[in-house]
Amino acid sequence: MTRILGGGELSAAIRADVTARAGGLRESGVQPKLAVVTATDDESTAWYVRSIAKAATRTGIECQIVDLGATAVQNDVLSALVELSADSDVHGIILQTPLPDGVDVTSLRTAITPDKDVDGANPLSLGRLLANQPAFAPATAAAVMALLDHHEVPLRGRLASVVGRSVVVGTPVAHLLVQRDATVTVCHHHTVDLAASTRNADVVVVAVGVPGLVTAEHVADGAIVVDVGTTATDDGTLLGDVDAASVEGRAGGLTPVPGGVGPVTTALLLANTVTAATTLSTTTHRDAGVLVGAVAR
Amino acid sequence: MTRILGGGELSAAIRADVTARAGGLRESGVQPKLAVVTATDDESTAWYVRSIAKAATRTGIECQIVDLGATAVQNDVLSALVELSADSDVHGIILQTPLPDGVDVTSLRTAITPDKDVDGANPLSLGRLLANQPAFAPATAAAVMALLDHHEVPLRGRLASVVGRSVVVGTPVAHLLVQRDATVTVCHHHTVDLAASTRNADVVVVAVGVPGLVTAEHVADGAIVVDVGTTATDDGTLLGDVDAASVEGRAGGLTPVPGGVGPVTTALLLANTVTAATTLSTTTHRDAGVLVGAVAR
């Protein structure tokens, strides 16, 4: 029997905590506020952004969607990020992808001030994370770790395989697992024998966006499998990277898609926003060298 | 027969290139300059810093040793780094460890401006590296990669194990190997069965500072072993992390200690200084979002 490691309970607990903390901030005169910058007419992105906005509102966080439209150019996005970074009413900033062709998301991420970088998108946030300094981790990576902890999956000394090396998921997850004393193997599309690199692992995290990539042959008996993949089909179904039917009975536990990492990610974005609002509202002056916005990890 | 993968030839080639580029800069009126900040009376550190200074001078780079003494406090070091970061005559800054007790090196590293951060010490440099943006990599990590390339060790699709997870070596080396399409396992002192995590690898990089840790049982037949360890004994001998006698005949290649990674590291610090001088002297204005100082990789 493969245990289903859902994210609903954890997500609800985080959101309840966020609601309480947001209430406390409002009582002290601070309205926590999240800004989401978007520049696409992709419908599934619009749906996702609205779902963040709804979740924010429900927990008492104001959410401003800055829709620059699908014709936005580099400078439009840059100006928006610089303005929001400087706006003392804004505590969290998310730059939503995809962006229009010709817009370089990597350089734009450096324009999000690290103390509002609730999705850990700025390379400085990533660098701080890797230098073991306080920083917001990319929310999806943090959600993977939170989900493993919630389901009491031991990590120290265990073998973990991360499939995928993206800047937003694979790379930070691998590092967070190393920080938690797991022995970690990073696999990607140049890995010659993927199954050989995953089937000894106690924990397998898959984040590539290839539906059904991971099957029983990739998974050790009893291994915990975290599925970060979310590929949307034409009919709106979300598909994970793990073939759930194939690993059923073999994996010890599997996070479902949807309902696993996704809702925890959203909840952590809100939690980070409240943390940022708390830090920003209690800090009158910050030196360049002072680090803000520690994420729970 | 285990091939000895020395760093002398590569180091000499890099230094010859540095000498030519430094000459070109001086002809255009720019004297490339490296500053090394030190605050210790540890003799082996002083020896190392002098060796960098000598190597710099020989290639036509001015080297300023800023010796703050073993009684320096946090603010002394911070002030020195801020001053050097602002000094237009300085193009490269190294913060040498160890530092006095109570001085927090991690936060000080953020005070080194990334465009002079020739040893990739600032977390922002690390973050840029991990976000696949141009940045100076930590010189030792870059030296490992340069040495592998110099000896034509293939990496794409190969299995690599990195023993050690330090911010200055293990973590960036692991990432650089992943960037070069190797499948990479990160091991450390919580790894339960180290040999199991290294003996399938085509390339093993060891950077922990435990003399003789890696023996024949850790190494696959024909594997390439890179020894980053340099532990100084009382009589001044440098000891690597690899038991060279043990792996002899089994490993396909081994970098010696001394004479392997070390001289390449020093040469790359000088190369990065000339690169920084070139970039800084040709750039009149830099936006926050503009990235400088790409390292060859």
Side-chain angles (χ1 to χ4, degrees):
Chain A
M1 259 295 284
T2 297
R3 205 156 51 110
I4 297 302
L5 309 176
E9 191 181 270
L10 173 58
S11 162
I14 296 170
R15 282 182 280 112
D17 177 61
V18 168
T19 304
R21 290 161 66 205
L25 280 165
R26 281 198 310 279
E27 274 170 30
S28 66
V30 178
Q31 170 60 55
K33 183 174 173 181
L34 173 66
V36 184
V37 176
T38 170
T40 179
D41 44 23
D42 175 50
E43 191 41 49
S44 69
T45 304
W47 179 88
Y48 175 66
V49 169
R50 280 196 303 269
S51 78
I52 292 177
K54 257 184 262 175
T57 308
R58 255 187 246 121
T59 54
I61 295 173
E62 185 184 338
C63 185
Q64 177 188 359
I65 298 174
V66 181
D67 187 353
L68 303 171
T71 57
V73 296
Q74 185 85 10
N75 257 336
D76 301 331
V77 187
L78 181 62
S79 301
L81 294 174
V82 168
E83 200 174 300
L84 293 166
S85 289
D87 184 344
S88 61
D89 287 340
V90 172
H91 309 106
I93 302 170
I94 297 172
L95 175 58
Q96 185 61 43
T97 53
L99 293 169
D101 288 347
V103 173
D104 175 26
V105 63
T106 309
S107 72
L108 286 170
R109 285 178 170 143
T110 64
I112 302 173
T113 184
D115 44 11
K116 302 182 182 181
D117 184 20
V118 292
D119 199 12
N122 190 327
L124 179 55
S125 300
L126 189 61
R128 285 179 177 176
L129 191 71
L130 268 92
N132 305 313
Q133 296 183 320
F136 289 118
T140 306
V144 169
M145 303 307 292
L147 209 44
L148 288 169
D149 284 343
H150 178 72
H151 292 288
E152 300 181 335
V153 177
L155 295 173
R156 172 169 292 182
R158 303 302 168 105
L159 301 180
S161 280
V162 176
V163 186
R165 56 176 171 177
S166 72
V167 177
V168 288
V169 192
T171 296
V173 161
H175 184 70
L176 291 169
L177 287 166
V178 169
Q179 275 186 335
R180 292 288 299 278
D181 301 329
T183 299
V184 178
T185 299
V186 179
C187 313
H188 42 77
H189 66 281
H190 289 288
T191 296
V192 175
D193 185 349
L194 180 61
S197 290
T198 57
R199 71 178 160 230
N200 291 320
D202 302 297
V203 174
V204 180
V205 179
V206 196
V208 286
V210 178
L213 174 73
V214 166
T215 59
E217 65 154 339
H218 298 86
V219 175
D221 244 343
I224 301 298
V225 182
V226 179
D227 190 349
V228 186
T230 48
T231 304
T233 62
D234 288 342
D235 66 358
T237 313
L238 280 188
L239 297 177
D241 290 343
V242 178
D243 183 336
S246 173
V247 305
E248 168 62 37
R250 186 169 179 88
L254 172 65
T255 68
V257 176
V261 174
V264 180
T265 301
T266 304
L268 285 178
L269 286 170
L270 304 179
N272 288 350
T273 302
V274 169
T275 299
T278 305
T279 308
L280 288 164
S281 64
T282 54
T283 316
T284 50
H285 173 73
R286 290 187 316 282
D287 293 319
V290 173
L291 301 162
V292 298
V295 73
R297 47 176 185 163
Chain B
M1 261 294 284
T2 297
R3 206 156 50 109
I4 297 301
L5 309 176
E9 190 181 274
L10 173 58
S11 163
I14 295 170
R15 282 183 280 112
D17 177 60
V18 168
T19 304
R21 290 162 67 205
L25 279 166
R26 280 199 310 280
E27 274 171 29
S28 68
V30 177
Q31 169 59 57
K33 183 172 172 182
L34 172 65
V36 184
V37 176
T38 170
T40 178
D41 43 25
D42 175 51
E43 191 41 49
S44 69
T45 304
W47 179 89
Y48 175 67
V49 169
R50 280 195 302 270
S51 79
I52 293 178
K54 257 183 265 177
T57 308
R58 254 186 247 123
T59 55
I61 295 174
E62 185 183 339
C63 185
Q64 177 188 359
I65 298 175
V66 181
D67 187 353
L68 302 171
T71 58
V73 297
Q74 185 84 12
N75 257 337
D76 301 331
V77 188
L78 181 62
S79 302
L81 295 173
V82 168
E83 202 174 299
L84 293 166
S85 289
D87 184 344
S88 62
D89 288 339
V90 171
H91 309 106
I93 301 170
I94 297 172
L95 175 59
Q96 185 59 43
T97 54
L99 292 169
D101 288 346
V103 173
D104 175 28
V105 63
T106 309
S107 71
L108 286 171
R109 285 178 171 143
T110 64
I112 303 172
T113 184
D115 42 12
K116 301 182 183 182
D117 184 21
V118 292
D119 199 13
N122 190 326
L124 179 55
S125 300
L126 189 60
R128 285 179 177 176
L129 191 71
L130 269 92
N132 306 313
Q133 296 184 320
F136 289 119
T140 306
V144 169
M145 304 306 292
L147 209 44
L148 289 169
D149 284 343
H150 178 71
H151 292 289
E152 299 181 336
V153 177
L155 296 172
R156 172 168 291 181
R158 304 300 167 106
L159 300 180
S161 280
V162 176
V163 186
R165 57 176 170 178
S166 72
V167 177
V168 288
V169 192
T171 296
V173 161
H175 184 70
L176 291 170
L177 287 165
V178 170
Q179 274 186 334
R180 292 288 298 278
D181 302 329
T183 299
V184 178
T185 299
V186 179
C187 313
H188 42 77
H189 66 279
H190 289 288
T191 296
V192 175
D193 185 349
L194 180 61
S197 290
T198 57
R199 72 178 160 231
N200 291 319
D202 302 297
V203 175
V204 180
V205 179
V206 196
V208 287
V210 178
L213 175 72
V214 166
T215 59
E217 66 153 339
H218 297 86
V219 175
D221 244 344
I224 300 298
V225 182
V226 179
D227 190 350
V228 187
T230 49
T231 303
T233 62
D234 288 342
D235 66 358
T237 314
L238 280 187
L239 297 177
D241 290 342
V242 178
D243 183 334
S246 173
V247 305
E248 168 60 39
R250 186 172 179 86
L254 172 65
T255 67
V257 175
V261 175
V264 179
T265 302
T266 304
L268 285 178
L269 286 171
L270 304 179
N272 287 351
T273 301
V274 169
T275 300
T278 305
T279 307
L280 288 163
S281 64
T282 54
T283 315
T284 50
H285 174 72
R286 292 186 314 283
D287 293 319
V290 173
L291 301 163
V292 298
V295 74
R297 49 174 182 158

